Amino acid sequence: MRDKILRVDFLILLFFLIGLFSRLFFIEKVQSHMDGPQYTMAILHYDLKNATPSVPGYPLYIATARLINYIISDPYNSLILVSVLFSGIGAYVVFFTGKQIFNKSVGIIASLIFLSGAAFYFLGITTYGYIVSSVMTVVLAYIVYEISVSKKQHGILLGFFFSLALGVRPQELFFIGPLFIFGLFYLNLKNKIIALVSFLVSFFCWFIPLVSTVGGLKNYILLVNSFQHGLVISPNNIYNNSQSMIRGFVLAFGLGNLFLIYFLFKRIRLIQKNKLITYLKNKQFLFFLIWILPSLAFNFFIRSDHPGYQMTYLTAFLFLISYAIWVLNRRNIFRMVLVVSCIIIFNLFWFFRDRDPGNKLPYTPTSFHYSEIRKNDARMASKVDFIKNYSEFSYAIITGSVFWRQFMYYFPDQEIYDLEGLVTENIPWKYGFRKGYKWRYIEYNTKEFIFTVPKNIHSIIFTDDEAQFWQISGEKKIYRFPANASITIVRVSPEEKYEYSLGVFKKNNEK
C-alpha cells in the first residue's frame, strides 16, 4: 500500500512539473490580444466602468495575479505565471479526476492530452483566464461525480468550489450551474444546507468587494446590462459557431477525435438497441450530459469565438476521449502506448509548426499556434520600442481594434484612437470610435467619419501593417521591422479635419 501511494505521489509531482516547465520557457513576451491589457491594467487599477477588466469582472483571477505581483512587481508576467501555474495544477487535476472517474490509465492519457493539446498549451502561456476556469470546472465536476455516482456527502466542498469557479469567471454560472444543481440533488438534507451555506459565505466574500467597486449591486447590474451585446440565433451564426467548434476539437484533441467518433458511433448503436431510457437512468451518463450540454448549446446556437469559450464542454470530452482510447486499446498495451504517442506528437506538431514561414499572413490575436505568438512578439515589441524612442514630432496613435488596447497599455500618456471605419465596412462595427488615454477610454458610435487632429499634435502614427497601403493625405514615412511589420507616420497640423473610410484617411477639403 505504501509503495502504491508513493507511485501515485510521483505521478502527481511528475505531471505538475511537466505542466509547469513545458510552459514556462515558451511564454509570450508582449501583449498579444485585447483581454491581456485589460487584465494587466486591472491588477494596478481595478475599474469595471473602464473595462479594466470588462464585466462581470473576473475577481478571483485578477486577485490571484495581484498576489503574484506583490512578489515580482510585474503585472503582465504575474498573469502569465497564473496561466503557467494552473497548467501544472491542471495536469495533476486532470490525471486525478480521470483516475477516480475511470481508472489510472485514463487519467494518464487525459493528462498527456491536456499537456500537449494546442488549445490547452496556448492558454497556458498567454494572459487568458480560461485555463484557470477550466481547471476549476474539472474540480467542481469531480466533486459532483463523487456526490452523484460515488454517493459521498461533500456538501461543503460543492458549495465552496462552485463559488470559486464563479469567482474566476462569473459567466460560467450558466454552464456549470446545472452541474451544481445536479450535485445538490443527490445530497441529503443536512448537506444540502451545508452546501448552500458554504456557497453563500464564500460567494459573498468576493462578490461584495466586487460590487462595491461600482457603488453597489444596482450599479453592477446596470453595468453588466450596458456591456451586453445583441446575441441572436441565426443560421449564419450557427454555421460560423459550428466551424469554430470543429476547430476547437481539432486544437484540443487532434487525432484523439477519431477515437471519440468511433466510440460514440458504437455507443449510439447501443443506445438504439437498449433504448435511451436505460442510459438516462445511468448516473454517469447523466453526469456527463449535464456537464456538456449547457455550454455546448450556447456555443452552437449563440457564440463560439474560439476554444477558450468552449473549455467547459471540452474538458468533459477530454475524459471521454481518453476513456475511448483506453477501451479501444486496453487489450494491447503496446498499441495503446503507440496511439497515445502519435496523438501527443501530432498535437505538439500542430501547435509548434510554423504556419507562416514568410511572415506574410496578418497576425491573428487568438490563433492557438505558437508561431503566431512569436510573430507577435517580434512585431509588437519592435513597434513599441520604436514609438517609445520616437521624438521627432508630438504624435497621436491610430490603430485598429485588434491592437488598440495593447497600445493603450504600453502608452498611457499618449492619445490612442481606434477608428473602426478605417479597417472595416461591416455594419454596425464600422461606426465605432474609441479614444484611450491614461488607461481610460471613451467609446461611441458615429456616422460622420471625421477625425479632428488634437491640439499640439503634429504627426500621426498608424500602427497597422496594412496602413502602408492606405490612401493617406500628406507625405507618408514607412518604417519596417522584423516579421514584415511596419509603422506608417504622416505629418499633420493641429485641429485639421480628416475624413476616413476603409483604407482611406484624407483631409476634409481634399477631393
Side-chain angles (χ1 to χ4, degrees):
M1 176 63 73
R2 182 173 176 271
D3 291 341
K4 182 179 180 181
I5 293 173
L6 287 175
R7 284 198 300 272
V8 172
D9 286 345
F10 171 75
L11 284 174
I12 290 171
L13 180 62
L14 178 65
F15 284 126
F16 175 76
L17 291 177
I18 293 174
L20 210 62
F21 289 105
S22 64
R23 271 61 173 168
L24 193 59
F25 299 105
F26 298 99
I27 58 174
E28 67 173 9
K29 301 298 191 296
V30 295
Q31 302 278 11
S32 66
H33 55 90
M34 287 185 66
D35 289 356
Q38 67 172 347
Y39 298 150
T40 310
M41 288 185 274
I43 292 174
L44 301 174
H45 183 72
Y46 197 93
D47 184 0
L48 293 180
K49 293 180 181 178
N50 195 54
T52 55
S54 59
V55 292
Y58 312 91
L60 296 185
Y61 171 57
I62 302 299
T64 305
R66 182 174 286 184
L67 287 174
I68 296 176
N69 188 56
Y70 284 134
I71 301 171
I72 68 173
S73 299
D74 186 332
Y76 172 66
N77 279 315
S78 295
L79 284 167
I80 292 286
L81 287 177
V82 171
S83 297
V84 172
L85 178 63
F86 272 84
S87 292
I89 295 172
Y92 157 63
V93 166
V94 166
F95 160 71
F96 181 81
T97 302
K99 174 177 172 289
Q100 295 301 113
I101 293 179
F102 296 108
N103 55 57
K104 188 165 73 173
S105 296
V106 172
I108 291 172
I109 295 169
S111 190
L112 290 173
I113 294 176
F114 174 84
L115 288 167
S116 62
F120 302 111
Y121 216 124
F122 179 89
L123 296 174
I125 58 177
T126 53
T127 51
Y128 276 113
Y130 296 113
I131 199 70
V132 184
S133 64
S134 64
V135 172
M136 297 307 301
T137 295
V138 173
V139 173
L140 177 67
Y142 166 68
I143 293 168
V144 172
Y145 181 87
E146 285 284 284
I147 293 169
S148 60
V149 180
S150 301
K151 300 180 180 180
K152 303 290 179 63
Q153 295 295 308
H154 294 319
I156 191 168
L157 292 178
L158 178 67
F160 179 70
F161 279 99
F162 180 51
S163 169
L164 288 188
L166 295 183
V168 171
R169 192 167 183 263
Q171 54 266 58
E172 290 291 320
L173 171 66
F174 305 105
F175 308 142
I176 62 176
L179 203 56
F180 170 73
I181 295 170
F182 184 70
L184 198 66
F185 177 80
Y186 285 98
L187 291 173
N188 59 34
L189 180 59
K190 176 184 175 182
N191 274 277
K192 280 184 172 69
I193 295 171
I194 290 173
L196 292 173
V197 171
S198 172
F199 167 72
L200 290 173
V201 170
S202 54
F203 172 78
F204 284 119
C205 281
W206 61 260
F207 187 70
I208 291 175
L210 174 66
V211 298
S212 68
T213 63
V214 293
L217 179 61
K218 182 179 179 180
N219 290 339
Y220 180 76
I221 293 173
L222 290 173
L223 190 61
V224 171
N225 289 335
S226 70
F227 273 82
Q228 297 303 310
H229 300 288
L231 299 175
V232 297
I233 299 175
S234 69
N236 186 56
N237 277 354
I238 291 174
Y239 174 77
N240 291 334
N241 291 342
S242 63
Q243 298 302 302
S244 175
M245 293 170 72
I246 291 171
R247 182 169 175 261
F249 274 96
V250 174
L251 288 169
F253 310 121
L255 297 177
N257 290 294
L258 300 176
F259 293 89
L260 176 66
I261 293 169
Y262 179 69
F263 183 75
L264 288 178
F265 175 74
K266 292 184 67 176
R267 288 290 176 176
I268 289 171
R269 291 180 64 185
L270 282 174
I271 290 174
Q272 291 174 338
K273 185 178 179 180
N274 298 329
K275 296 184 180 180
L276 180 60
I277 192 66
T278 305
Y279 281 86
L280 291 177
K281 292 179 180 178
N282 184 299
K283 290 181 184 178
Q284 193 173 53
F285 179 83
L286 278 175
F287 164 74
F288 276 103
L289 199 66
I290 292 171
W291 185 353
I292 291 169
L293 275 185
S295 59
L296 187 74
F298 178 88
N299 278 269
F300 183 75
F301 289 108
I302 300 176
R303 183 177 179 182
S304 185
D305 290 0
H306 56 70
Y309 284 75
Q310 305 159 19
M311 275 294 128
T312 302
Y313 71 80
L314 286 179
T315 49
F317 278 109
L318 173 62
F319 297 104
L320 295 178
I321 286 175
S322 302
Y323 177 68
I325 293 169
W326 175 76
V327 167
L328 297 172
N329 297 280
R330 59 184 168 180
R331 300 185 187 280
N332 189 324
I333 299 300
F334 174 78
R335 188 176 69 189
M336 185 186 299
V337 172
L338 182 63
V339 164
V340 174
S341 298
C342 288
I343 291 171
I344 293 171
I345 292 170
F346 177 86
N347 285 345
L348 294 175
F349 165 78
W350 198 252
F351 180 63
F352 283 103
R353 70 188 176 95
D354 190 349
R355 63 196 294 265
D356 183 23
N359 294 308
K360 296 178 180 179
L361 298 174
Y363 176 70
T364 305
T366 313
S367 69
F368 292 85
H369 291 284
Y370 182 70
S371 62
E372 293 294 330
I373 294 175
R374 293 284 78 92
K375 181 196 294 186
N376 186 63
D377 284 345
R379 288 181 173 179
M380 178 62 77
S382 58
K383 291 180 182 183
V384 169
D385 289 342
F386 174 84
I387 296 173
K388 283 182 176 179
N389 293 297
Y390 180 80
S391 58
E392 190 174 352
F393 303 103
S394 56
Y395 63 88
I397 296 173
I398 292 181
T399 184
S401 59
V402 173
F403 289 113
W404 81 278
R405 269 207 181 275
Q406 290 90 310
F407 283 102
M408 181 179 160
Y409 168 74
Y410 284 117
F411 299 99
D413 296 324
Q414 300 296 332
E415 294 183 352
I416 314 292
Y417 293 91
D418 169 24
L419 314 180
E420 283 296 280
L422 261 175
V423 295
T424 183
E425 289 186 316
N426 293 335
I427 298 173
W429 312 116
K430 73 174 186 177
Y431 302 127
F433 183 100
R434 297 187 182 104
K435 175 186 174 182
Y437 182 66
K438 295 289 186 183
W439 286 3
R440 286 176 168 79
Y441 75 97
I442 58 173
E443 178 179 21
Y444 57 87
N445 288 336
T446 177
K447 293 185 179 181
E448 291 185 355
F449 302 109
I450 298 292
F451 176 78
T452 302
V453 177
K455 293 179 180 180
N456 303 318
I457 295 298
H458 294 88
S459 63
I460 291 177
I461 298 177
F462 295 89
T463 64
D464 288 43
D465 298 327
E466 295 76 14
Q468 61 184 303
F469 307 113
W470 293 349
Q471 299 176 38
I472 301 176
S473 295
E475 183 181 349
K476 296 190 297 185
K477 275 190 176 181
I478 300 172
Y479 298 86
R480 304 190 186 281
F481 307 105
N484 280 337
S486 67
I487 273 177
T488 301
I489 300 180
V490 62
R491 285 290 310 273
V492 295
S493 298
E495 300 186 329
E496 273 186 325
K497 293 185 182 296
Y498 286 78
E499 296 179 22
Y500 63 89
S501 57
L502 181 64
V504 178
F505 189 81
K506 63 181 183 179
K507 289 183 182 178
N508 196 20
N509 58 358
E510 187 174 274
K511 293 184 179 180

